[in-house]
Amino acid sequence: GKALDVARSGKTRAAEGLESLARIIDDSAVAVDDKLGPQYGDLARSAAQTVTNLAGQLEEKDIEELVTATRDFVRKSPAVAIGSAAVVGFMLARLLRGSGDKG
């Protein structure tokens, strides 16, 4: 009961975080256009849309579905799963460090 509530809350916060990340990426696309060219800005916009879609999928699925999907993904692609976890951890650390500097 309590663990499920905590997991649901974490899922909601993760989806909100992904939506925020997508907005940041999308907002930076104009700067990417100016500095690197429109083809790279388009890549940033595409990445923002992918992150937005991921946030939506995360919100739609229940905890049990997410656990099963994650378990299956790790079994099929352990190296990708470990690499993805490292990237996400790095990004979260940067975001948390950045938000701590403001206060």
Side-chain angles (χ1 to χ4, degrees):
K2 178 78 172 165
L4 193 54
D5 289 340
V6 170
R8 285 186 184 126
S9 175
K11 180 184 87 145
T12 299
R13 284 194 313 265
E16 290 169 354
L18 287 171
E19 289 168 357
S20 294
L21 177 61
R23 281 191 298 277
I24 291 168
I25 294 169
D26 193 53
D27 290 347
S28 68
V30 173
V32 173
D33 284 339
D34 293 341
K35 293 185 185 216
L36 301 174
Q39 70 272 21
Y40 294 104
D42 289 344
L43 287 173
R45 283 185 268 297
S46 177
Q49 186 59 52
T50 299
V51 174
T52 297
N53 293 343
L54 179 60
Q57 291 173 6
L58 182 61
E59 271 299 315
E60 291 172 3
K61 293 186 183 219
D62 65 22
I63 298 299
E64 292 80 18
E65 287 177 302
L66 292 171
V67 169
T68 300
T70 302
R71 196 175 291 142
D72 291 346
F73 177 75
V74 170
R75 279 190 197 126
K76 291 177 185 174
S77 306
V80 173
I82 291 169
S84 298
V87 169
V88 168
F90 174 77
M91 290 176 63
L92 287 174
R94 298 277 301 188
L95 287 172
L96 292 174
R97 187 173 1 155
S99 66
D101 292 345
K102 293 178 184 174

